[in-house]
Amino acid sequence: MNSTALGTSALDRALHELRENAASWADAPLAERIGLLERLMPRISEVAADLVAAAAAVKGYGPDSSWAAEDWAGGPWALAQNVGARLQVLRRIAAGQGPLPDGAVREQDGRTWVDVFPATGWDRLLLGGYSARVRMRPGTSAEQVRDRAAGAYRGRAPHAGVALVLGAGNVAALTAGDILHKLYAEGQVVIAKMNPVNAYLRPHFEKIFADFIDRGWLRFVDGGPAEGAYLTTHDGVDSIHVTGSDRTHDAIVWGTDAQAEQRRRDDTPLIDKPFTSELGGVSPCIVVPGEWSAADFRFQAEHIVTSKMNNSGHNCIASQILLLPRSWDGTERLLEEIREVLRALPARTDYYPGADQRLAAVRQAHPEAESHADGCRLLVPDITDHDDLLLTREVFASALGVVRLPGDTPAALLRHAVDFANDTLPGTLGATLIVHPRTEKAHPEAVESAIAELRYGTLGVNTWSALGFLLGYTPWGAYPGHTRQAIGSGVGFVNNAYMLEDIEKTVLRAPFAPTPRGLFTGSPSLSPRPPYFVTNGTARTTLERVTRFTTAPGIAKLPAIFASALRG
C-alpha cells in the first residue's frame, strides 16, 4: 500500500472514531464540560514555555528574545484567555443565571448593543481602561439578544456532528480557539488538520487537549492540500471552518480546474456543507488629525508599527494601509517617528512561506519604497493609484503603505476615510481608528458616525483591532454580508464566549495614552504601555506572568505583573 493510501486510511479511521463519539459529546452535561475546561488551564501553563520556544525557533530567534513576546500573546495567553472567558459564561449558566450580566444589553439610537468586556474584576485590573461592546444586526431587539445568547445551553437541542477545522499557519491560538468554538458553541466533535507551516505545534496541542482526545472528541492530523481536499469532501465531515485566504476558500468550494469560475457563476459548489471562515483582507489604520504632543506622536508610532510588525506582518489583521490627513501638519512628523521605530527594532526576517516574493512584488511596484533596518520592513509613504498592489491584495508580510486623504477638519477627514476603507480596500475583518480624546470630544458626531459606518467585524478605537481576537469574550469574524460567491473576509464568528447571535460588529476602546500621561490627554486609566507593543522592553516577561495568572488567578501574582508592566 502506498503512502497516500496509508494517509487516507488514517484520516478515515480518525473520522470514524469521531463519528462514533459525536453523540456522547453532544449529550455531555454542563458540569462535565466545565470540568474539562478547568483541566485545560494547568495543561496550558505546563506546555506554555515549550510552545513559545518551538514557535520562536521556527521564526529564527530564541525564546528569551524580545520578539518572543508575540508568541506568548498569540499562543498560551490567548488560549488561556479564551478558555477563561468560556468558563466565566458557563459557570454563570450552571449557577442558574443568564449568560449575560444584568445591564449588559442596551438599546441606543435604534440599535441594540451588548457590553462584553470587561467581564470580571481581574479584567478591570489587568486591562484598565479597555472595553468592548458588540453591535447587533438591524432589527434585533434587546429581548431577542438575551433570549438567544448561549442557546445551546438553554434548551436548544444539540446537533451532534463532526466538524473539520483547517488550522491557521501563523498564530498558535487560532487553531486552538477554532476547536473550542466548534466543541462548545456548536456542539460538534472536531478533526483538526494542522497547517504545514506550524504543524510543529501538534504535540503541544495534543498535551493540552489530552482529555478531549482520550474521549474520542478530538483528533489532530497533518497534511497539505491533498489531505485537506480529501477531508473537505468526505461524507464523514458535517461542517467546515477554515482560517486562511479567500483563495483557499474558493479552491475548496469551487475547485481549481477550468470549470471553477462557471461553478461560481452558477452557484453550484463542489461542497454544500455549513462552512464558516476567517480570511483576512487589507486592513486600514485611520489617523484623525488633532493637537498631539511629542509623546503622543511617539506612542502612536509604536502602536502603528506594532500593528504591522507583530509576527512580521503575518497576521490577517495586520495594518497594511495607513490613512493619514494630507493637510495635517502632524502627518510628516508621525511618519518620521514610524521610521525611527522601524529602524530601532531588533533584527528579524519574514519567515512565512512566500513572503520574499510578496515583498519583492511590493518593491517592483514601488521602487521608491523605503527599506528600514533588516531590509524587509518596507514603507511606501505616498500611494496614489487605487489599483495599487498594496490596496488590492493582502501582502501578509512587513510592508506598510500610506494613503494621504483630503479633509481639513476631523469630520471631513473621517468622511473620506470611511468611504475609502469601505469602498476601496478589500476585506472587512478589522480596522483601527486613532483619535485624540480632545478631538473626539470636539467632534463627537463625526467620530460616532465613523464608528457606526465602518463595515468591519472588529473596529479598534485607539487600539489595534487584533486585540479583539485575544479577549475571548469578543466575537471574531468578518462584517456580515459576504457570500460563498464573493467570500471577502469570510462568514461567521468564532471565540464569542457569550455565544451571541445576530452579530454585526465589535467596537473596542482603549486609552489614547498610557498612565500617567493619560490623565492629561482626557483618557485616564491605570494601563501602562501595552505589553504587546513591539517596543515594550519587558513584554515577554509581562506576558508570561499574565499567562500564568490567567491559567490560575491569584492576587499574590499581581504585584510582579504590575512591576514588569510598569517597567515596560
Side-chain angles (χ1 to χ4, degrees):
M1 185 178 292
N2 62 37
S3 59
T4 302
L6 282 169
T8 298
S9 175
L11 297 177
D12 289 339
R13 185 166 58 252
L15 287 169
H16 176 73
E17 293 168 350
L18 289 166
R19 177 69 59 188
E20 286 192 325
N21 292 292
S24 66
W25 172 249
D27 295 337
L30 179 56
E32 183 176 5
R33 293 186 177 211
I34 290 173
L36 286 161
L37 288 177
E38 290 173 339
R39 291 194 291 278
L40 277 181
M41 288 299 210
R43 293 180 186 272
I44 295 170
S45 184
E46 290 166 8
V47 169
D50 290 340
L51 190 152
V52 168
V58 167
K59 296 180 186 183
Y61 49 78
D64 57 348
S65 165
S66 61
W67 289 116
E70 70 189 32
D71 303 305
W72 281 99
W77 179 68
L79 177 54
Q81 180 69 19
N82 192 309
V83 172
R86 293 191 183 280
L87 276 171
Q88 171 73 7
V89 175
L90 294 182
R91 285 167 176 162
R92 286 183 58 87
I93 297 171
Q97 302 172 301
L100 292 162
D102 294 340
V105 186
R106 54 192 171 86
E107 295 183 355
Q108 177 184 330
D109 299 328
R111 300 296 293 273
T112 300
W113 292 82
V114 184
D115 295 321
V116 297
F117 191 87
T120 69
W122 297 130
D123 296 334
R124 294 176 179 86
L125 280 172
L126 292 175
L127 286 169
Y130 286 74
S131 65
R133 56 181 184 151
V134 178
R135 190 169 79 169
M136 314 310 291
R137 297 193 190 192
T140 306
S141 69
E143 182 180 5
Q144 288 172 324
V145 171
R146 285 188 288 264
D147 289 346
R148 295 172 182 172
Y153 296 88
R154 303 167 69 210
R156 189 171 66 201
H159 298 286
V162 178
L164 167 63
V165 168
L166 295 173
N170 54 343
V171 176
L174 273 166
T175 300
D178 293 345
I179 290 168
L180 288 172
H181 179 82
K182 281 293 186 181
L183 285 166
Y184 277 85
E186 300 187 16
Q188 295 185 319
V189 295
V190 177
I191 183 166
K193 190 190 82 66
M194 298 298 296
N195 191 296
V197 178
N198 61 7
Y200 61 85
L201 295 171
R202 175 177 171 173
H204 306 294
F205 284 166
E206 288 179 332
K207 291 178 183 177
I208 292 170
F209 288 100
D211 289 341
F212 294 87
I213 294 171
D214 290 346
R215 297 291 296 273
W217 295 331
L218 173 63
R219 290 290 182 268
F220 288 97
V221 297
D222 295 325
E227 288 77 12
Y230 183 78
L231 290 168
T232 58
T233 57
H234 201 291
D235 290 340
V237 170
D238 298 301
S239 72
I240 301 169
H241 180 81
V242 59
T243 299
S245 71
D246 56 352
R247 296 181 301 279
T248 302
H249 168 274
D250 290 348
I252 294 170
V253 175
W254 311 113
T256 57
D257 58 12
Q259 288 74 46
E261 281 307 311
Q262 188 62 47
R263 292 190 197 100
R264 189 204 299 263
R265 287 192 291 271
D266 296 341
D267 196 19
T268 54
L270 293 173
I271 60 169
D272 195 20
K273 303 172 182 180
F275 195 139
T276 54
S277 52
E278 189 258 87
L279 306 174
V282 176
S283 296
C285 177
I286 302 167
V287 176
V288 182
E291 296 295 326
W292 290 16
S293 68
D296 293 335
F297 280 104
R298 181 66 180 190
F299 181 81
Q300 295 303 338
E302 294 175 8
H303 180 189
I304 292 163
V305 170
T306 293
S307 72
K308 174 76 272 183
M309 283 302 303
N310 176 280
N311 203 31
S312 285
H314 307 318
N315 291 320
C316 52
I317 197 65
S319 294
Q320 182 162 310
I321 295 298
L322 182 59
L323 298 179
L324 291 175
R326 184 182 299 157
S327 58
W328 182 39
D329 59 6
T331 288
E332 292 305 326
R333 185 169 181 180
L334 179 60
L335 287 174
E336 189 53 40
E337 291 285 355
I338 287 171
R339 293 180 179 103
E340 289 191 12
V341 174
L342 287 171
R343 287 192 289 263
L345 290 175
R348 72 180 297 181
T349 57
D350 288 18
Y351 70 91
Y352 209 86
D356 287 349
Q357 294 92 322
R358 294 190 295 274
L359 288 173
V362 174
R363 291 189 186 96
Q364 182 176 2
H366 289 282
E368 81 283 7
E370 302 171 9
S371 180
H372 294 282
D374 48 31
C376 64
R377 302 171 194 174
L378 301 184
L379 178 67
V380 181
D382 193 6
I383 297 174
T384 57
D385 182 359
H386 284 200
D387 293 325
D388 191 275
L389 166 70
L390 283 165
L391 302 184
T392 57
R393 189 189 315 170
E394 183 180 8
V395 174
F396 212 66
S398 54
L400 177 65
V402 178
V403 172
R404 299 160 191 254
L405 296 176
D408 295 332
T409 66
L413 179 281
L414 282 167
R415 284 196 300 271
H416 287 290
V418 169
D419 290 344
F420 191 92
N422 285 345
D423 301 333
T424 299
L425 301 180
T428 65
L429 185 61
T432 299
L433 176 65
I434 299 174
V435 54
H436 195 290
R438 285 195 293 268
T439 303
E440 182 173 2
K441 186 176 181 179
H443 303 272
E445 292 182 0
V447 175
E448 283 304 315
S449 177
I451 291 171
E453 293 174 13
L454 282 162
R455 296 193 296 267
Y456 289 87
T458 297
L459 174 63
V461 181
N462 293 329
T463 180
W464 181 25
S465 54
L467 186 69
F469 167 73
L470 299 176
L471 295 180
Y473 295 97
T474 40
W476 184 249
Y479 191 86
H482 299 302
T483 67
R484 64 187 177 191
Q485 289 167 290
I487 195 60
S489 290
V491 174
F493 290 91
V494 295
N495 296 355
N496 185 23
Y498 289 111
M499 291 166 277
L500 300 171
E501 299 183 12
D502 308 305
I503 298 159
E504 184 179 82
K505 68 195 297 183
T506 298
V507 178
L508 302 165
R509 280 188 172 269
F512 177 81
T515 188
R517 196 163 51 81
L519 294 170
F520 308 104
T521 63
S523 58
S525 75
L526 295 178
S527 291
R529 172 177 274 97
Y532 59 83
F533 269 29
V534 292
T535 51
N536 189 310
T538 61
R540 183 182 56 79
T541 299
T542 301
L543 286 165
E544 179 176 359
R545 291 174 181 176
V546 168
T547 300
R548 306 297 182 195
F549 176 91
T550 305
T551 59
I555 197 167
K557 298 178 181 178
L558 292 175
I561 293 174
F562 293 150
S564 179
L566 289 170
R567 287 197 303 273

